Amino acid sequence: MLDLNDIAMFVQVVRSGSFAEAARRRGMPSNTVSRRIQQLEEQLGTRLLQRSTRKLTLTSAGQDFHERCVSAVDGLLEAGQELMSGSNEPSGLVRVAAPADFFDFFQMEWVSEFLAAHPRVRLDFVLSDTKADLITEQIDVAFRGGPLRDSGYVGRQIVDPGNVGMVASPAYIAARGAPRTLQDLASHDCVVSAQPGGHAVWRLVGPHGAEDVQVAGRFSGNTAQALRKAALAGLGIALLPPVMAALEVEAGTLVPVLPQYRPENFGLNVLYPSRRQLPLSVSAFIGLVIQKMNATDTAPE
């Protein structure tokens, strides 16, 4: 029969990233932790972790086993903590992975409001346009824009895409005119995500459904902020995350281009490692993001 303590130890090792760190957190020798994980692997008849001098890596079997048991372990620990504290109050550290420009559209005042409502919760944000490895980086929840491709994590769209997408500065439109059709974009400068040759394909949804259009320009960048600033400087038409575009349109610094078209799959998605129950602190923060972002009727890339 499997020892639940060994399974909990396995979850701790994955989260800690090493036997030594797991041992430190558990207050026991590192070789004891290593031996118990080895015993668990022998009982299961499969290797869960690949060891190297630099780091531990989950095998495919280890990944699947971790996904299936982590929520149960967390649930038991959370139940014990709630009994000991006599409270169902969210608590603990929540590590959040989000796009680099997350706080350009998610107000810091909302974070302050959340922390005031949940005084036992701490938030640690990991902001990057690089997709985070939730297991390796010990991420509790990740927010991502764009198409939600199969990543091995649990994911769902929590905010629908908005209707504002293509924008340009008033000065650019005054100088070059406004395109009337998607085909007209071929004769315009567009600021695009970095691509070899300066070309990109935008997938848009309009009166005739989804359409692809190839665009090009003399400026490209690898972040939404770079594209926004290029559009503000009059360097061309940009396809921005809807919430970012909507804020600039509202301020009058950018104007909509071909407003009958909207970007496809620019909604906000949430991902988390476990397939089952989320910690109260994580579910509470996801709830805050859903509430605030849906109130804007827009979503980030």
Side-chain angles (χ1 to χ4, degrees):
M1 180 180 295
L2 294 177
D3 188 332
L4 292 179
N5 289 317
D6 289 345
I7 296 175
M9 182 71 71
F10 167 68
V11 171
Q12 182 71 71
V13 169
V14 173
R15 284 183 171 159
S16 302
S18 70
F19 291 125
E21 178 61 20
R24 187 189 67 78
R25 296 183 184 185
R26 286 296 185 99
M28 61 176 60
S30 179
N31 60 350
T32 299
V33 175
S34 178
R35 175 171 48 80
R36 289 176 60 175
I37 298 303
Q38 186 175 358
Q39 290 174 349
L40 178 62
E41 291 176 323
E42 290 172 356
Q43 286 183 289
L44 293 171
T46 187
R47 182 177 289 275
L48 301 174
L49 294 163
Q50 296 288 3
R51 288 89 162 160
S52 74
T53 56
R54 292 185 299 173
K55 66 176 183 177
L56 297 176
T57 305
L58 283 168
T59 64
S60 58
Q63 175 80 37
D64 182 61
F65 186 66
H66 180 267
E67 289 181 358
R68 297 182 65 178
C69 69
V70 64
S71 59
V73 171
D74 286 345
L76 289 172
L77 293 174
E78 185 177 335
Q81 290 170 353
E82 289 175 1
L83 286 175
M84 288 187 291
S85 66
S87 171
N88 291 327
E89 182 182 0
S91 63
L93 174 66
V94 179
R95 280 176 57 82
V96 182
D101 57 4
F102 186 71
F103 286 111
D104 291 326
F105 50 77
F106 194 83
Q107 298 178 25
M108 195 63 73
E109 288 78 5
W110 297 342
V111 176
S112 178
E113 176 185 325
F114 175 82
L115 292 176
H118 304 290
R120 297 177 61 197
V121 175
R122 294 181 294 126
L123 297 176
D124 178 20
F125 285 90
V126 180
L127 302 180
S128 174
D129 289 328
T130 302
K131 306 303 184 187
D133 184 323
L134 275 61
I135 300 298
T136 302
E137 299 179 44
Q138 303 176 44
I139 300 297
D140 295 298
V141 59
F143 296 99
R144 293 179 182 170
L148 185 57
R149 299 183 176 89
D150 180 19
S151 62
Y153 306 126
V154 182
R156 62 189 176 96
Q157 186 177 79
I158 59 173
V159 181
D160 290 331
N163 292 321
V164 181
M166 287 185 288
V167 288
S169 70
Y172 177 88
I173 296 299
R176 300 286 298 274
R180 297 179 181 273
T181 67
L182 285 184
Q183 290 69 35
D184 289 346
L185 291 173
S187 61
H188 280 267
D189 286 325
C190 295
V191 296
V192 298
S193 296
Q195 299 285 339
H199 291 81
V201 175
W202 288 348
R203 188 163 182 82
L204 304 161
V205 178
H208 307 293
E211 298 182 57
D212 291 335
V213 58
Q214 182 170 294
V215 296
R218 293 184 295 161
F219 180 94
S220 62
N222 65 345
T223 68
Q225 275 298 334
L227 303 182
R228 180 187 72 88
K229 292 180 179 180
L232 289 170
L235 299 185
I237 298 169
L239 181 64
L240 296 180
V243 68
M244 185 181 292
L247 291 173
E248 297 296 345
V249 169
E250 183 179 352
T253 52
L254 294 175
V255 296
V257 173
L258 296 173
Q260 66 271 36
Y261 291 92
R262 63 178 178 83
E264 184 181 63
N265 295 322
F266 269 50
L268 182 65
N269 306 302
V270 59
L271 294 91
Y272 36 90
S274 171
R275 295 185 179 278
R276 301 177 71 88
Q277 181 182 2
L278 289 173
L280 289 177
S281 53
V282 175
S283 59
F285 186 71
I286 292 174
L288 171 77
V289 175
I290 293 174
Q291 174 194 353
K292 298 300 186 181
M293 295 306 300
N294 275 303
T296 68
D297 290 324
T298 51
E301 184 174 0

